[in-house]
Amino acid sequence: MDYETPEDLLYTEDHEWLRREADAADEVTIGITDFAQEQVGDVVYLELPADGAALTAGEPFGEIESAKTVAELFAPVSGELVASNAELEERPELVNESPYGDGWIVRVRVSDAAELDKLMDAEAYRAQLPED
Amino acid sequence: MLTQLTLRERHLDQGARFAPFAGWEMPLQYEGIVAEHRAVRERVGVFDVSHLARAWVEGPEAADLLRSATTFDVTSLREGKAHYSLYCNEAGGIEDDVFIYHLSAERWLVIHNAANADADFERLRAVAGDAASERTAETVMLAVQGPDAVGLLASVLGEGFAALEPRDCAELNWQGALLLVARTGYTGEDGGECIVPADRAESLWDALIGGGATPAGLGARDSLRLEAALPLHGNDIDATTNPYEAGLGFAVSLDDGAPFTGREALVAAKAQPRSRRLAHLAARSRGVPRTGYEVRKPGGEDAIAMLTSGGHSPSLKIGIGMAYLPADLARTGTMLEVDVRGRALPVEVVRRPFYRKPKG
């Protein structure tokens, strides 16, 4: 199966993506990858912290509930949650339909930009996706 | 070693993702659980349920032999009718739930759950001896469910199916093969189930898919039956639960006086007030109450029950679940909480089913 992996994003081993935002140099938008949404299945609910919450890289910050399972969301970087995608409250299926677009999950103000350097680019992420 | 479905290649063609279930390799989903769920609620879906064990009881004594095997008085079932029944143990606990089809004067079919197939067949053998035979491998069983299911089955199978009323069953000739068909199912929708000789199964599958049926897997089957508040053996009912507390009294006949395993215990259980009841819980906030999660009183520390089934209802867009609650907490309107991994999810006791198909 071919999964979308846009070139302009950063990726984590937990199958999350980050986009550096042009309008605010220290902010990133975070979502789950096409592969992740396919694995987790129909998303029905997301449990996310309130705006202003502090995220710590590598620590869980939320949960994603699908029809068949629940998965934790791990913070790819440390920082402050600036916004979560309010549209997902009514339409959680956007995570499946548009994982890199309307299905974005949170926006975070990064506290240590050096953490971004540890993330994968699209090529590296593609290389560690399962073959199947 | 998992048993593979006769139609395995057909399922792969449809993009099936398989999972092991009760010794079978079964389609868990194709396009996605929610899409398949919706297809069944809004149009028509087809499930390969060949894992269900199919046992026949035949001969002049069949009705009387079968009567003593399960709780329901099948001798009251006229030819061409099907009914739900239970195997119970001496304590009145439910060993399995089954569907019994009265095909013709001396021919009956009993459908067993896959996980209990061997034990069930032994129970059947114990009362019916050689009159009972299990021939699951010779056939494929397909469930066609949804508002368009009866129309599709009538167009594929013809007059023989079109004439059936709900809960009717019949044997009919389809392109030279003997099919067993019934207006039954496990989704809360109208529809039918077909048992077709294995060598003709691909033709029937192709005709159903070609006629617009969406292939649906075990994932959707579970969310559909949960919305319809149909119990799953091993989850909501088991050897430690009796039919009355499970709300399955309609499957137990005591008035005919006929003996069956568990009768004495069930006579006693029926006469007593229920100490607990299988209650139906609807989430009143966002969250998914899953099987095994604890149920508590609002603000309470101690678990009063565990969810025997739970999940997200695609039709209602809320979390739903079932649990055995003390009788005083099982009343409609009672507010409780489910512990969703440390977070309290408010739930309300509601009437069953969670979802009822629109009339008309």
Side-chain angles (χ1 to χ4, degrees):
Chain A
M1 190 168 297
D2 284 335
Y3 299 102
E4 277 187 65
T5 50
E7 296 296 338
D8 59 331
L9 305 180
L10 295 171
Y11 296 87
T12 74
E13 288 175 358
D14 299 314
H15 305 287
E16 289 162 348
W17 57 261
L18 290 83
R19 177 184 290 121
R20 294 187 219 234
E21 293 302 337
D23 58 346
D26 60 344
E27 291 187 13
V28 293
T29 301
I30 297 170
I32 66 169
T33 65
D34 189 25
F35 172 81
Q37 69 79 20
E38 172 75 19
Q39 289 296 308
V40 75
D42 302 292
V43 175
V44 297
Y45 172 66
L46 290 100
E47 175 77 23
L48 299 172
D51 293 357
L55 273 55
T56 306
E59 296 292 313
F61 72 94
E63 290 173 337
I64 186 160
E65 298 254 19
S66 73
K68 64 182 177 191
T69 190
V70 57
E72 282 186 309
L73 290 164
F74 292 93
V77 289
S78 303
E80 178 192 342
L81 191 140
V82 178
S84 53
N85 184 354
E87 188 78 4
L88 298 182
E89 285 182 29
E90 289 307 313
R91 298 185 59 201
E93 64 272 19
L94 288 172
V95 174
N96 300 111
E97 293 168 2
S98 176
Y100 301 110
D102 292 342
W104 66 275
I105 295 173
V106 292
R107 186 158 165 152
V108 172
R109 184 171 299 126
V110 179
S111 57
D112 179 4
E115 286 178 357
L116 293 171
D117 298 336
K118 297 176 192 164
L119 302 175
M120 286 179 274
D121 63 12
E123 191 183 351
Y125 177 65
R126 278 194 292 273
Q128 54 92 67
L129 279 178
E131 284 295 314
D132 188 23
Chain B
M1 188 62 198
L2 296 176
T3 306
Q4 292 194 343
L5 293 169
T6 301
L7 293 178
R8 186 168 192 278
E9 290 299 320
R10 285 293 194 273
H11 298 306
L12 283 170
D13 290 345
Q14 296 288 334
R17 194 177 292 174
F18 290 95
F21 180 82
W24 290 73
E25 187 192 50
M26 296 294 292
L28 177 65
Q29 64 169 70
Y30 305 81
E31 179 189 356
I33 294 171
V34 173
E36 294 160 29
H37 182 110
R38 294 221 174 95
V40 172
R41 286 279 180 253
E42 292 163 15
R43 299 181 300 278
V44 51
V46 56
F47 301 82
D48 188 336
V49 290
S50 299
H51 62 308
L52 299 176
R54 300 176 283 287
W56 273 260
V57 181
E58 292 163 303
E61 307 293 319
D64 290 330
L65 293 171
L66 202 46
R67 171 63 191 103
S68 57
T70 75
T71 55
F72 183 72
D73 176 16
V74 292
T75 65
S76 71
L77 206 57
R78 63 178 170 76
E79 255 180 80
K81 276 288 176 190
H83 204 281
Y84 183 76
S85 190
L86 306 166
Y87 288 107
C88 281
N89 55 38
E90 290 292 353
I94 301 169
E95 294 288 345
D96 200 9
D97 63 339
V98 302
F99 236 90
I100 299 180
Y101 298 78
H102 191 183
L103 301 174
S104 59
E106 298 184 2
R107 232 168 109 70
W108 300 70
L109 169 69
V110 188
I111 302 287
H112 297 147
N113 280 306
N116 303 321
D118 291 344
D120 283 348
F121 189 60
E122 270 182 41
R123 291 182 188 103
L124 202 53
R125 275 278 191 185
V127 295
D130 290 342
S133 58
E134 186 179 305
R135 304 198 295 267
T136 303
E138 296 170 16
T139 57
V140 162
M141 183 164 174
L142 301 178
V144 184
Q145 303 278 294
D148 297 342
V150 170
L152 173 60
L153 284 166
S155 77
V156 170
L157 302 177
E159 301 260 311
F161 187 86
L164 300 181
E165 298 286 326
R167 298 272 176 80
D168 279 1
C169 60
E171 288 177 290
L172 58 83
N173 217 303
W174 180 68
Q175 301 181 355
L178 186 68
L179 251 64
L180 199 156
V181 295
R183 282 277 296 273
T184 50
Y186 190 53
T187 61
E189 293 295 329
D190 204 346
E193 294 174 297
C194 309
I195 296 172
V196 56
D199 61 354
R200 305 305 304 280
E202 289 187 351
S203 304
L204 181 59
W205 173 266
D206 292 346
L208 293 167
I209 296 290
T214 299
L218 286 184
R221 187 170 160 85
D222 192 54
S223 57
L224 288 157
R225 70 92 195 165
L226 180 56
E227 283 185 350
L230 298 169
L232 172 63
H233 191 268
N235 278 43
D236 312 300
I237 51 176
D238 63 26
T240 70
T241 60
N242 79 47
Y244 298 109
E245 60 195 11
L248 300 176
F250 68 91
V252 182
S253 312
L254 299 174
D255 293 346
D256 66 339
F260 60 85
T261 304
R263 186 179 196 283
E264 286 71 27
L266 291 176
V267 168
K270 191 181 185 188
Q272 281 168 8
R274 317 272 171 266
S275 62
R276 61 174 193 169
R277 277 203 297 125
L278 186 59
H280 300 81
L281 303 170
R284 292 301 178 233
S285 177
R286 288 168 177 277
V288 184
R290 296 189 187 269
T291 306
Y293 286 6
E294 291 181 350
V295 183
R296 300 172 179 170
K297 289 186 189 178
E301 296 273 306
D302 302 328
I304 54 172
M306 304 258 273
L307 292 180
T308 55
S309 286
H312 174 77
S313 160
S315 304
L316 305 172
K317 297 187 172 12
I318 57 169
I320 56 176
M322 302 196 240
Y324 284 93
L325 297 180
D328 61 323
L329 295 175
R331 290 193 197 95
T332 305
T334 304
M335 291 300 299
L336 297 165
E337 287 175 359
V338 171
D339 180 356
V340 178
R341 302 181 300 280
R343 195 169 58 86
L345 176 68
V347 295
E348 181 179 352
V349 178
V350 298
R351 286 179 199 281
R352 69 176 178 185
F354 297 103
Y355 174 88
R356 193 185 296 276
K357 66 175 188 288
K359 287 209 166 63

